Amino acid sequence: MSIFEEFYEETFDSVYKYVFSRTGQKDISEDIVSTAFLKLLTRYSHIKDKGRLKALLFTIARNCMMDYFNKAKKIEPLENDPLTDLAGEDEEEELLSSALQKLSDEEKELISFKYFSGLTFREIGLILNTNEKTVQSRIYKILEKLREEVNNGY
């Protein structure tokens, strides 16, 4: 197995979970992830810092997703946000779902990177071209916002 194949096997699930958490559609998510891997593969021989492959892949996937959303503006938006659909039916999960719906797209994206894709603060920083501590601070503020929203619902 080649190094790229190993990388694919190791990272596919986390990239797919991130994209699916934002699109909520299996086929579209698979297309976006496939496109991202293909773009990375075509650039692979020119990449000097192979240690940043994961961050580069997520950046490409994010850009592919943005392209998709820009082209699909004519398509009706999702009735439900996939991020909030993950909540179940008990009261606490409903409160969390409601709180998640109130987050901005940027906040939802950070939550998706961290908790659906399992990326580190450093990796998220590389993807978003920002400082690791800034990412950490933003995520903690989002979590505090969610916690406060859920607690106010009780």
Side-chain angles (χ1 to χ4, degrees):
M1 186 180 291
S2 74
I3 293 172
F4 191 83
E5 287 172 320
E6 286 179 31
F7 175 75
Y8 176 89
E9 292 293 322
E10 291 172 5
T11 57
F12 178 85
D13 284 345
S14 61
V15 175
Y16 177 81
K17 287 176 184 175
Y18 162 67
V19 173
F20 184 79
S21 76
R22 304 303 297 142
T23 67
Q25 298 179 29
K26 183 179 184 269
D27 293 342
I28 292 168
S29 298
E30 288 172 351
D31 288 347
I32 291 170
V33 172
S34 296
T35 300
F37 271 106
L38 184 60
K39 286 183 177 188
L40 182 65
L41 181 60
T42 60
R43 299 176 190 167
Y44 186 76
S45 63
H46 303 292
I47 298 169
K48 292 178 177 72
D49 186 1
K50 304 287 192 223
R52 295 187 65 176
L53 278 179
K54 190 172 183 181
L56 181 57
L57 174 64
F58 271 87
T59 301
I60 294 169
R62 181 176 186 242
N63 290 339
C64 289
M65 197 168 31
M66 297 295 200
D67 290 344
Y68 166 77
F69 284 130
N70 287 335
K71 289 176 186 174
K73 288 204 184 226
K74 296 176 188 170
I75 298 173
E76 277 194 38
L78 297 173
E79 258 183 53
N80 298 316
D81 187 329
L83 197 59
T84 59
D85 285 345
L86 297 172
E89 299 203 9
D90 72 15
E91 184 178 352
E92 188 174 289
E93 289 175 339
E94 284 183 31
L95 289 171
L96 178 58
S97 178
S98 175
L100 285 166
Q101 287 176 358
K102 295 177 183 177
L103 295 178
S104 70
D105 287 341
E106 293 81 17
E107 291 170 328
K108 289 177 185 176
E109 182 173 56
L110 284 169
I111 294 296
S112 293
F113 279 142
K114 182 67 180 160
Y115 297 104
F116 292 96
S117 298
L119 298 177
T120 65
F121 296 124
R122 182 180 178 280
E123 290 169 329
I124 297 168
L126 290 171
I127 293 164
L128 300 177
N129 198 27
T130 191
N131 183 294
E132 176 180 349
K133 293 292 183 188
T134 302
V135 170
Q136 186 175 14
S137 173
R138 286 180 186 167
I139 289 175
Y140 286 137
K141 286 178 184 176
I142 295 167
L143 292 176
E144 187 58 38
K145 184 177 178 179
L146 288 171
R147 188 175 298 113
E148 185 176 309
E149 189 68 33
V150 168
N151 289 337
N152 287 338
Y154 276 118

PDB file of all heavy atoms in Angstrom, residues 6-41:
ATOM      1  N   GLU A   6      -2.468   4.833   2.391  1.00  0.00           N
ATOM      2  CA  GLU A   6      -2.542   4.755   3.853  1.00  0.00           C
ATOM      3  C   GLU A   6      -3.165   6.033   4.420  1.00  0.00           C
ATOM      4  O   GLU A   6      -3.999   5.982   5.328  1.00  0.00           O
ATOM      5  CB  GLU A   6      -1.154   4.548   4.452  1.00  0.00           C
ATOM      6  CG  GLU A   6      -0.610   3.151   4.253  1.00  0.00           C
ATOM      7  CD  GLU A   6       0.786   2.982   4.830  1.00  0.00           C
ATOM      8  OE1 GLU A   6       1.102   3.657   5.845  1.00  0.00           O
ATOM      9  OE2 GLU A   6       1.550   2.181   4.271  1.00  0.00           O
ATOM     10  N   PHE A   7      -2.729   7.164   3.895  1.00  0.00           N
ATOM     11  CA  PHE A   7      -3.272   8.451   4.324  1.00  0.00           C
ATOM     12  C   PHE A   7      -4.777   8.492   4.062  1.00  0.00           C
ATOM     13  O   PHE A   7      -5.559   8.929   4.912  1.00  0.00           O
ATOM     14  CB  PHE A   7      -2.563   9.591   3.585  1.00  0.00           C
ATOM     15  CG  PHE A   7      -3.139  10.946   3.863  1.00  0.00           C
ATOM     16  CD1 PHE A   7      -2.898  11.582   5.073  1.00  0.00           C
ATOM     17  CD2 PHE A   7      -3.928  11.585   2.918  1.00  0.00           C
ATOM     18  CE1 PHE A   7      -3.439  12.837   5.344  1.00  0.00           C
ATOM     19  CE2 PHE A   7      -4.468  12.831   3.181  1.00  0.00           C
ATOM     20  CZ  PHE A   7      -4.225  13.457   4.390  1.00  0.00           C
ATOM     21  N   TYR A   8      -5.190   8.029   2.897  1.00  0.00           N
ATOM     22  CA  TYR A   8      -6.608   7.983   2.539  1.00  0.00           C
ATOM     23  C   TYR A   8      -7.393   7.153   3.554  1.00  0.00           C
ATOM     24  O   TYR A   8      -8.426   7.585   4.055  1.00  0.00           O
ATOM     25  CB  TYR A   8      -6.773   7.406   1.127  1.00  0.00           C
ATOM     26  CG  TYR A   8      -8.203   7.229   0.693  1.00  0.00           C
ATOM     27  CD1 TYR A   8      -8.875   8.260   0.057  1.00  0.00           C
ATOM     28  CD2 TYR A   8      -8.881   6.039   0.923  1.00  0.00           C
ATOM     29  CE1 TYR A   8     -10.201   8.111  -0.341  1.00  0.00           C
ATOM     30  CE2 TYR A   8     -10.198   5.877   0.537  1.00  0.00           C
ATOM     31  CZ  TYR A   8     -10.853   6.912  -0.103  1.00  0.00           C
ATOM     32  OH  TYR A   8     -12.158   6.753  -0.478  1.00  0.00           O
ATOM     33  N   GLU A   9      -6.868   5.966   3.848  1.00  0.00           N
ATOM     34  CA  GLU A   9      -7.536   5.071   4.801  1.00  0.00           C
ATOM     35  C   GLU A   9      -7.642   5.707   6.189  1.00  0.00           C
ATOM     36  O   GLU A   9      -8.647   5.552   6.877  1.00  0.00           O
ATOM     37  CB  GLU A   9      -6.784   3.739   4.910  1.00  0.00           C
ATOM     38  CG  GLU A   9      -6.850   2.888   3.664  1.00  0.00           C
ATOM     39  CD  GLU A   9      -8.241   2.372   3.356  1.00  0.00           C
ATOM     40  OE1 GLU A   9      -8.976   2.030   4.295  1.00  0.00           O
ATOM     41  OE2 GLU A   9      -8.599   2.319   2.163  1.00  0.00           O
ATOM     42  N   GLU A  10      -6.614   6.421   6.598  1.00  0.00           N
ATOM     43  CA  GLU A  10      -6.576   7.026   7.935  1.00  0.00           C
ATOM     44  C   GLU A  10      -7.478   8.250   8.061  1.00  0.00           C
ATOM     45  O   GLU A  10      -7.973   8.540   9.151  1.00  0.00           O
ATOM     46  CB  GLU A  10      -5.149   7.453   8.284  1.00  0.00           C
ATOM     47  CG  GLU A  10      -4.199   6.296   8.503  1.00  0.00           C
ATOM     48  CD  GLU A  10      -2.757   6.762   8.646  1.00  0.00           C
ATOM     49  OE1 GLU A  10      -2.489   7.983   8.672  1.00  0.00           O
ATOM     50  OE2 GLU A  10      -1.888   5.879   8.709  1.00  0.00           O
ATOM     51  N   THR A  11      -7.677   8.977   6.971  1.00  0.00           N
ATOM     52  CA  THR A  11      -8.357  10.268   7.076  1.00  0.00           C
ATOM     53  C   THR A  11      -9.741  10.328   6.443  1.00  0.00           C
ATOM     54  O   THR A  11     -10.479  11.279   6.706  1.00  0.00           O
ATOM     55  CB  THR A  11      -7.500  11.391   6.450  1.00  0.00           C
ATOM     56  OG1 THR A  11      -7.219  11.046   5.098  1.00  0.00           O
ATOM     57  CG2 THR A  11      -6.226  11.609   7.227  1.00  0.00           C
ATOM     58  N   PHE A  12     -10.105   9.355   5.646  1.00  0.00           N
ATOM     59  CA  PHE A  12     -11.382   9.429   4.935  1.00  0.00           C
ATOM     60  C   PHE A  12     -12.557   9.661   5.883  1.00  0.00           C
ATOM     61  O   PHE A  12     -13.374  10.557   5.662  1.00  0.00           O
ATOM     62  CB  PHE A  12     -11.642   8.173   4.090  1.00  0.00           C
ATOM     63  CG  PHE A  12     -12.964   8.220   3.387  1.00  0.00           C
ATOM     64  CD1 PHE A  12     -13.070   8.853   2.163  1.00  0.00           C
ATOM     65  CD2 PHE A  12     -14.110   7.692   3.966  1.00  0.00           C
ATOM     66  CE1 PHE A  12     -14.300   8.939   1.512  1.00  0.00           C
ATOM     67  CE2 PHE A  12     -15.343   7.776   3.328  1.00  0.00           C
ATOM     68  CZ  PHE A  12     -15.434   8.394   2.102  1.00  0.00           C
ATOM     69  N   ASP A  13     -12.658   8.859   6.932  1.00  0.00           N
ATOM     70  CA  ASP A  13     -13.809   8.962   7.838  1.00  0.00           C
ATOM     71  C   ASP A  13     -13.933  10.343   8.464  1.00  0.00           C
ATOM     72  O   ASP A  13     -15.035  10.901   8.541  1.00  0.00           O
ATOM     73  CB  ASP A  13     -13.734   7.905   8.946  1.00  0.00           C
ATOM     74  CG  ASP A  13     -14.103   6.519   8.443  1.00  0.00           C
ATOM     75  OD1 ASP A  13     -14.690   6.404   7.341  1.00  0.00           O
ATOM     76  OD2 ASP A  13     -13.787   5.550   9.147  1.00  0.00           O
ATOM     77  N   SER A  14     -12.825  10.912   8.916  1.00  0.00           N
ATOM     78  CA  SER A  14     -12.916  12.211   9.586  1.00  0.00           C
ATOM     79  C   SER A  14     -13.295  13.320   8.603  1.00  0.00           C
ATOM     80  O   SER A  14     -14.087  14.202   8.945  1.00  0.00           O
ATOM     81  CB  SER A  14     -11.627  12.545  10.331  1.00  0.00           C
ATOM     82  OG  SER A  14     -10.542  12.617   9.459  1.00  0.00           O
ATOM     83  N   VAL A  15     -12.784  13.255   7.381  1.00  0.00           N
ATOM     84  CA  VAL A  15     -13.154  14.266   6.381  1.00  0.00           C
ATOM     85  C   VAL A  15     -14.620  14.096   5.994  1.00  0.00           C
ATOM     86  O   VAL A  15     -15.362  15.072   5.902  1.00  0.00           O
ATOM     87  CB  VAL A  15     -12.254  14.170   5.128  1.00  0.00           C
ATOM     88  CG1 VAL A  15     -12.713  15.137   4.049  1.00  0.00           C
ATOM     89  CG2 VAL A  15     -10.814  14.438   5.485  1.00  0.00           C
ATOM     90  N   TYR A  16     -15.032  12.855   5.809  1.00  0.00           N
ATOM     91  CA  TYR A  16     -16.424  12.586   5.450  1.00  0.00           C
ATOM     92  C   TYR A  16     -17.375  13.073   6.551  1.00  0.00           C
ATOM     93  O   TYR A  16     -18.393  13.709   6.264  1.00  0.00           O
ATOM     94  CB  TYR A  16     -16.644  11.099   5.179  1.00  0.00           C
ATOM     95  CG  TYR A  16     -18.089  10.786   4.877  1.00  0.00           C
ATOM     96  CD1 TYR A  16     -18.606  11.006   3.608  1.00  0.00           C
ATOM     97  CD2 TYR A  16     -18.935  10.323   5.875  1.00  0.00           C
ATOM     98  CE1 TYR A  16     -19.944  10.765   3.333  1.00  0.00           C
ATOM     99  CE2 TYR A  16     -20.278  10.079   5.606  1.00  0.00           C
ATOM    100  CZ  TYR A  16     -20.773  10.298   4.339  1.00  0.00           C
ATOM    101  OH  TYR A  16     -22.101  10.060   4.079  1.00  0.00           O
ATOM    102  N   LYS A  17     -17.049  12.794   7.798  1.00  0.00           N
ATOM    103  CA  LYS A  17     -17.915  13.232   8.904  1.00  0.00           C
ATOM    104  C   LYS A  17     -18.036  14.751   8.932  1.00  0.00           C
ATOM    105  O   LYS A  17     -19.113  15.292   9.180  1.00  0.00           O
ATOM    106  CB  LYS A  17     -17.378  12.723  10.243  1.00  0.00           C
ATOM    107  CG  LYS A  17     -17.578  11.241  10.450  1.00  0.00           C
ATOM    108  CD  LYS A  17     -16.932  10.771  11.740  1.00  0.00           C
ATOM    109  CE  LYS A  17     -17.036   9.276  11.897  1.00  0.00           C
ATOM    110  NZ  LYS A  17     -16.312   8.793  13.083  1.00  0.00           N
ATOM    111  N   TYR A  18     -16.932  15.424   8.695  1.00  0.00           N
ATOM    112  CA  TYR A  18     -16.966  16.887   8.661  1.00  0.00           C
ATOM    113  C   TYR A  18     -17.887  17.371   7.545  1.00  0.00           C
ATOM    114  O   TYR A  18     -18.786  18.190   7.773  1.00  0.00           O
ATOM    115  CB  TYR A  18     -15.561  17.466   8.485  1.00  0.00           C
ATOM    116  CG  TYR A  18     -15.574  18.897   8.025  1.00  0.00           C
ATOM    117  CD1 TYR A  18     -16.062  19.901   8.851  1.00  0.00           C
ATOM    118  CD2 TYR A  18     -15.140  19.242   6.754  1.00  0.00           C
ATOM    119  CE1 TYR A  18     -16.109  21.223   8.425  1.00  0.00           C
ATOM    120  CE2 TYR A  18     -15.180  20.551   6.322  1.00  0.00           C
ATOM    121  CZ  TYR A  18     -15.664  21.535   7.150  1.00  0.00           C
ATOM    122  OH  TYR A  18     -15.723  22.830   6.725  1.00  0.00           O
ATOM    123  N   VAL A  19     -17.683  16.867   6.337  1.00  0.00           N
ATOM    124  CA  VAL A  19     -18.474  17.320   5.190  1.00  0.00           C
ATOM    125  C   VAL A  19     -19.950  16.955   5.391  1.00  0.00           C
ATOM    126  O   VAL A  19     -20.837  17.784   5.172  1.00  0.00           O
ATOM    127  CB  VAL A  19     -17.925  16.743   3.865  1.00  0.00           C
ATOM    128  CG1 VAL A  19     -18.843  17.074   2.696  1.00  0.00           C
ATOM    129  CG2 VAL A  19     -16.515  17.269   3.598  1.00  0.00           C
ATOM    130  N   PHE A  20     -20.212  15.741   5.846  1.00  0.00           N
ATOM    131  CA  PHE A  20     -21.598  15.322   6.054  1.00  0.00           C
ATOM    132  C   PHE A  20     -22.279  16.162   7.131  1.00  0.00           C
ATOM    133  O   PHE A  20     -23.456  16.488   7.021  1.00  0.00           O
ATOM    134  CB  PHE A  20     -21.680  13.839   6.417  1.00  0.00           C
ATOM    135  CG  PHE A  20     -23.098  13.345   6.551  1.00  0.00           C
ATOM    136  CD1 PHE A  20     -23.838  13.051   5.419  1.00  0.00           C
ATOM    137  CD2 PHE A  20     -23.684  13.212   7.794  1.00  0.00           C
ATOM    138  CE1 PHE A  20     -25.161  12.620   5.530  1.00  0.00           C
ATOM    139  CE2 PHE A  20     -24.995  12.781   7.921  1.00  0.00           C
ATOM    140  CZ  PHE A  20     -25.733  12.486   6.784  1.00  0.00           C
ATOM    141  N   SER A  21     -21.514  16.546   8.156  1.00  0.00           N
ATOM    142  CA  SER A  21     -22.108  17.376   9.218  1.00  0.00           C
ATOM    143  C   SER A  21     -22.526  18.739   8.687  1.00  0.00           C
ATOM    144  O   SER A  21     -23.372  19.400   9.276  1.00  0.00           O
ATOM    145  CB  SER A  21     -21.137  17.533  10.394  1.00  0.00           C
ATOM    146  OG  SER A  21     -20.113  18.454  10.094  1.00  0.00           O
ATOM    147  N   ARG A  22     -21.961  19.143   7.571  1.00  0.00           N
ATOM    148  CA  ARG A  22     -22.303  20.449   6.992  1.00  0.00           C
ATOM    149  C   ARG A  22     -23.329  20.330   5.866  1.00  0.00           C
ATOM    150  O   ARG A  22     -24.100  21.247   5.628  1.00  0.00           O
ATOM    151  CB  ARG A  22     -21.044  21.146   6.457  1.00  0.00           C
ATOM    152  CG  ARG A  22     -19.937  21.334   7.497  1.00  0.00           C
ATOM    153  CD  ARG A  22     -20.361  22.113   8.739  1.00  0.00           C
ATOM    154  NE  ARG A  22     -20.731  23.450   8.372  1.00  0.00           N
ATOM    155  CZ  ARG A  22     -21.737  24.127   8.918  1.00  0.00           C
ATOM    156  NH1 ARG A  22     -22.458  23.587   9.869  1.00  0.00           N
ATOM    157  NH2 ARG A  22     -22.024  25.328   8.526  1.00  0.00           N
ATOM    158  N   THR A  23     -23.338  19.201   5.132  1.00  0.00           N
ATOM    159  CA  THR A  23     -24.270  19.069   4.005  1.00  0.00           C
ATOM    160  C   THR A  23     -25.513  18.274   4.371  1.00  0.00           C
ATOM    161  O   THR A  23     -26.585  18.540   3.844  1.00  0.00           O
ATOM    162  CB  THR A  23     -23.618  18.367   2.801  1.00  0.00           C
ATOM    163  OG1 THR A  23     -23.338  17.007   3.134  1.00  0.00           O
ATOM    164  CG2 THR A  23     -22.365  19.094   2.343  1.00  0.00           C
ATOM    165  N   GLY A  24     -25.348  17.253   5.204  1.00  0.00           N
ATOM    166  CA  GLY A  24     -26.470  16.403   5.574  1.00  0.00           C
ATOM    167  C   GLY A  24     -26.923  15.460   4.480  1.00  0.00           C
ATOM    168  O   GLY A  24     -27.959  14.821   4.599  1.00  0.00           O
ATOM    169  N   GLN A  25     -26.129  15.357   3.418  1.00  0.00           N
ATOM    170  CA  GLN A  25     -26.519  14.530   2.283  1.00  0.00           C
ATOM    171  C   GLN A  25     -25.367  13.595   1.914  1.00  0.00           C
ATOM    172  O   GLN A  25     -24.284  14.049   1.569  1.00  0.00           O
ATOM    173  CB  GLN A  25     -26.904  15.405   1.098  1.00  0.00           C
ATOM    174  CG  GLN A  25     -28.104  16.285   1.422  1.00  0.00           C
ATOM    175  CD  GLN A  25     -28.489  17.181   0.272  1.00  0.00           C
ATOM    176  OE1 GLN A  25     -28.278  16.836  -0.884  1.00  0.00           O
ATOM    177  NE2 GLN A  25     -29.043  18.333   0.575  1.00  0.00           N
ATOM    178  N   LYS A  26     -25.657  12.299   1.981  1.00  0.00           N
ATOM    179  CA  LYS A  26     -24.639  11.269   1.785  1.00  0.00           C
ATOM    180  C   LYS A  26     -23.961  11.380   0.418  1.00  0.00           C
ATOM    181  O   LYS A  26     -22.737  11.421   0.325  1.00  0.00           O
ATOM    182  CB  LYS A  26     -25.283   9.893   1.954  1.00  0.00           C
ATOM    183  CG  LYS A  26     -24.324   8.738   1.851  1.00  0.00           C
ATOM    184  CD  LYS A  26     -25.057   7.411   2.069  1.00  0.00           C
ATOM    185  CE  LYS A  26     -24.106   6.256   2.071  1.00  0.00           C
ATOM    186  NZ  LYS A  26     -23.891   5.636   0.792  1.00  0.00           N
ATOM    187  N   ASP A  27     -24.742  11.408  -0.652  1.00  0.00           N
ATOM    188  CA  ASP A  27     -24.173  11.424  -2.002  1.00  0.00           C
ATOM    189  C   ASP A  27     -23.320  12.665  -2.247  1.00  0.00           C
ATOM    190  O   ASP A  27     -22.225  12.585  -2.808  1.00  0.00           O
ATOM    191  CB  ASP A  27     -25.276  11.343  -3.057  1.00  0.00           C
ATOM    192  CG  ASP A  27     -25.990  10.000  -3.052  1.00  0.00           C
ATOM    193  OD1 ASP A  27     -25.426   9.029  -2.493  1.00  0.00           O
ATOM    194  OD2 ASP A  27     -27.100   9.912  -3.601  1.00  0.00           O
ATOM    195  N   ILE A  28     -23.833  13.803  -1.831  1.00  0.00           N
ATOM    196  CA  ILE A  28     -23.104  15.058  -2.025  1.00  0.00           C
ATOM    197  C   ILE A  28     -21.821  15.040  -1.203  1.00  0.00           C
ATOM    198  O   ILE A  28     -20.761  15.438  -1.689  1.00  0.00           O
ATOM    199  CB  ILE A  28     -23.995  16.262  -1.661  1.00  0.00           C
ATOM    200  CG1 ILE A  28     -25.124  16.371  -2.688  1.00  0.00           C
ATOM    201  CG2 ILE A  28     -23.190  17.543  -1.582  1.00  0.00           C
ATOM    202  CD1 ILE A  28     -26.227  17.322  -2.309  1.00  0.00           C
ATOM    203  N   SER A  29     -21.904  14.549   0.024  1.00  0.00           N
ATOM    204  CA  SER A  29     -20.712  14.471   0.880  1.00  0.00           C
ATOM    205  C   SER A  29     -19.661  13.573   0.256  1.00  0.00           C
ATOM    206  O   SER A  29     -18.477  13.917   0.241  1.00  0.00           O
ATOM    207  CB  SER A  29     -21.099  13.950   2.268  1.00  0.00           C
ATOM    208  OG  SER A  29     -21.997  14.833   2.885  1.00  0.00           O
ATOM    209  N   GLU A  30     -20.079  12.428  -0.253  1.00  0.00           N
ATOM    210  CA  GLU A  30     -19.130  11.509  -0.898  1.00  0.00           C
ATOM    211  C   GLU A  30     -18.480  12.156  -2.110  1.00  0.00           C
ATOM    212  O   GLU A  30     -17.277  12.016  -2.327  1.00  0.00           O
ATOM    213  CB  GLU A  30     -19.834  10.217  -1.296  1.00  0.00           C
ATOM    214  CG  GLU A  30     -20.191   9.345  -0.105  1.00  0.00           C
ATOM    215  CD  GLU A  30     -21.061   8.149  -0.464  1.00  0.00           C
ATOM    216  OE1 GLU A  30     -21.554   8.058  -1.615  1.00  0.00           O
ATOM    217  OE2 GLU A  30     -21.253   7.296   0.427  1.00  0.00           O
ATOM    218  N   ASP A  31     -19.266  12.880  -2.921  1.00  0.00           N
ATOM    219  CA  ASP A  31     -18.714  13.571  -4.093  1.00  0.00           C
ATOM    220  C   ASP A  31     -17.685  14.621  -3.688  1.00  0.00           C
ATOM    221  O   ASP A  31     -16.612  14.734  -4.290  1.00  0.00           O
ATOM    222  CB  ASP A  31     -19.827  14.239  -4.900  1.00  0.00           C
ATOM    223  CG  ASP A  31     -20.691  13.249  -5.660  1.00  0.00           C
ATOM    224  OD1 ASP A  31     -20.297  12.068  -5.772  1.00  0.00           O
ATOM    225  OD2 ASP A  31     -21.776  13.657  -6.127  1.00  0.00           O
ATOM    226  N   ILE A  32     -18.030  15.394  -2.675  1.00  0.00           N
ATOM    227  CA  ILE A  32     -17.119  16.454  -2.220  1.00  0.00           C
ATOM    228  C   ILE A  32     -15.820  15.858  -1.684  1.00  0.00           C
ATOM    229  O   ILE A  32     -14.729  16.327  -2.016  1.00  0.00           O
ATOM    230  CB  ILE A  32     -17.809  17.353  -1.168  1.00  0.00           C
ATOM    231  CG1 ILE A  32     -18.915  18.175  -1.832  1.00  0.00           C
ATOM    232  CG2 ILE A  32     -16.801  18.245  -0.449  1.00  0.00           C
ATOM    233  CD1 ILE A  32     -19.812  18.924  -0.867  1.00  0.00           C
ATOM    234  N   VAL A  33     -15.927  14.810  -0.874  1.00  0.00           N
ATOM    235  CA  VAL A  33     -14.732  14.179  -0.298  1.00  0.00           C
ATOM    236  C   VAL A  33     -13.881  13.551  -1.404  1.00  0.00           C
ATOM    237  O   VAL A  33     -12.658  13.693  -1.418  1.00  0.00           O
ATOM    238  CB  VAL A  33     -15.113  13.150   0.788  1.00  0.00           C
ATOM    239  CG1 VAL A  33     -13.892  12.370   1.244  1.00  0.00           C
ATOM    240  CG2 VAL A  33     -15.765  13.856   1.972  1.00  0.00           C
ATOM    241  N   SER A  34     -14.520  12.899  -2.364  1.00  0.00           N
ATOM    242  CA  SER A  34     -13.776  12.307  -3.486  1.00  0.00           C
ATOM    243  C   SER A  34     -13.045  13.373  -4.282  1.00  0.00           C
ATOM    244  O   SER A  34     -11.879  13.196  -4.651  1.00  0.00           O
ATOM    245  CB  SER A  34     -14.730  11.541  -4.416  1.00  0.00           C
ATOM    246  OG  SER A  34     -15.303  10.457  -3.753  1.00  0.00           O
ATOM    247  N   THR A  35     -13.723  14.473  -4.529  1.00  0.00           N
ATOM    248  CA  THR A  35     -13.102  15.583  -5.261  1.00  0.00           C
ATOM    249  C   THR A  35     -11.909  16.134  -4.485  1.00  0.00           C
ATOM    250  O   THR A  35     -10.851  16.414  -5.071  1.00  0.00           O
ATOM    251  CB  THR A  35     -14.136  16.703  -5.513  1.00  0.00           C
ATOM    252  OG1 THR A  35     -15.220  16.172  -6.277  1.00  0.00           O
ATOM    253  CG2 THR A  35     -13.520  17.871  -6.245  1.00  0.00           C
ATOM    254  N   ALA A  36     -12.062  16.264  -3.183  1.00  0.00           N
ATOM    255  CA  ALA A  36     -10.974  16.794  -2.355  1.00  0.00           C
ATOM    256  C   ALA A  36      -9.757  15.870  -2.400  1.00  0.00           C
ATOM    257  O   ALA A  36      -8.619  16.327  -2.565  1.00  0.00           O
ATOM    258  CB  ALA A  36     -11.445  16.980  -0.916  1.00  0.00           C
ATOM    259  N   PHE A  37      -9.984  14.568  -2.261  1.00  0.00           N
ATOM    260  CA  PHE A  37      -8.861  13.625  -2.322  1.00  0.00           C
ATOM    261  C   PHE A  37      -8.210  13.644  -3.707  1.00  0.00           C
ATOM    262  O   PHE A  37      -6.983  13.566  -3.819  1.00  0.00           O
ATOM    263  CB  PHE A  37      -9.309  12.197  -1.968  1.00  0.00           C
ATOM    264  CG  PHE A  37      -9.233  11.889  -0.509  1.00  0.00           C
ATOM    265  CD1 PHE A  37     -10.382  11.820   0.259  1.00  0.00           C
ATOM    266  CD2 PHE A  37      -8.008  11.648   0.112  1.00  0.00           C
ATOM    267  CE1 PHE A  37     -10.319  11.524   1.622  1.00  0.00           C
ATOM    268  CE2 PHE A  37      -7.927  11.359   1.465  1.00  0.00           C
ATOM    269  CZ  PHE A  37      -9.098  11.299   2.219  1.00  0.00           C
ATOM    270  N   LEU A  38      -9.002  13.736  -4.745  1.00  0.00           N
ATOM    271  CA  LEU A  38      -8.455  13.777  -6.100  1.00  0.00           C
ATOM    272  C   LEU A  38      -7.593  15.019  -6.300  1.00  0.00           C
ATOM    273  O   LEU A  38      -6.494  14.941  -6.861  1.00  0.00           O
ATOM    274  CB  LEU A  38      -9.588  13.730  -7.129  1.00  0.00           C
ATOM    275  CG  LEU A  38      -9.169  13.670  -8.584  1.00  0.00           C
ATOM    276  CD1 LEU A  38      -8.331  12.428  -8.853  1.00  0.00           C
ATOM    277  CD2 LEU A  38     -10.401  13.669  -9.481  1.00  0.00           C
ATOM    278  N   LYS A  39      -8.075  16.161  -5.817  1.00  0.00           N
ATOM    279  CA  LYS A  39      -7.291  17.392  -5.929  1.00  0.00           C
ATOM    280  C   LYS A  39      -5.989  17.281  -5.143  1.00  0.00           C
ATOM    281  O   LYS A  39      -4.937  17.729  -5.607  1.00  0.00           O
ATOM    282  CB  LYS A  39      -8.101  18.596  -5.454  1.00  0.00           C
ATOM    283  CG  LYS A  39      -9.175  19.003  -6.429  1.00  0.00           C
ATOM    284  CD  LYS A  39      -9.914  20.242  -5.963  1.00  0.00           C
ATOM    285  CE  LYS A  39     -10.941  20.650  -7.009  1.00  0.00           C
ATOM    286  NZ  LYS A  39     -11.557  21.931  -6.718  1.00  0.00           N
ATOM    287  N   LEU A  40      -6.056  16.691  -3.966  1.00  0.00           N
ATOM    288  CA  LEU A  40      -4.845  16.508  -3.165  1.00  0.00           C
ATOM    289  C   LEU A  40      -3.873  15.570  -3.879  1.00  0.00           C
ATOM    290  O   LEU A  40      -2.670  15.826  -3.920  1.00  0.00           O
ATOM    291  CB  LEU A  40      -5.192  15.957  -1.781  1.00  0.00           C
ATOM    292  CG  LEU A  40      -4.001  15.763  -0.837  1.00  0.00           C
ATOM    293  CD1 LEU A  40      -3.361  17.109  -0.483  1.00  0.00           C
ATOM    294  CD2 LEU A  40      -4.449  15.053   0.435  1.00  0.00           C
ATOM    295  N   LEU A  41      -4.395  14.496  -4.457  1.00  0.00           N
ATOM    296  CA  LEU A  41      -3.550  13.538  -5.164  1.00  0.00           C
ATOM    297  C   LEU A  41      -2.841  14.189  -6.342  1.00  0.00           C
ATOM    298  O   LEU A  41      -1.653  13.946  -6.574  1.00  0.00           O
ATOM    299  CB  LEU A  41      -4.382  12.340  -5.636  1.00  0.00           C
ATOM    300  CG  LEU A  41      -3.625  11.242  -6.373  1.00  0.00           C
ATOM    301  CD1 LEU A  41      -2.531  10.645  -5.490  1.00  0.00           C
ATOM    302  CD2 LEU A  41      -4.589  10.149  -6.834  1.00  0.00           C
TER     303      LEU A  41
END
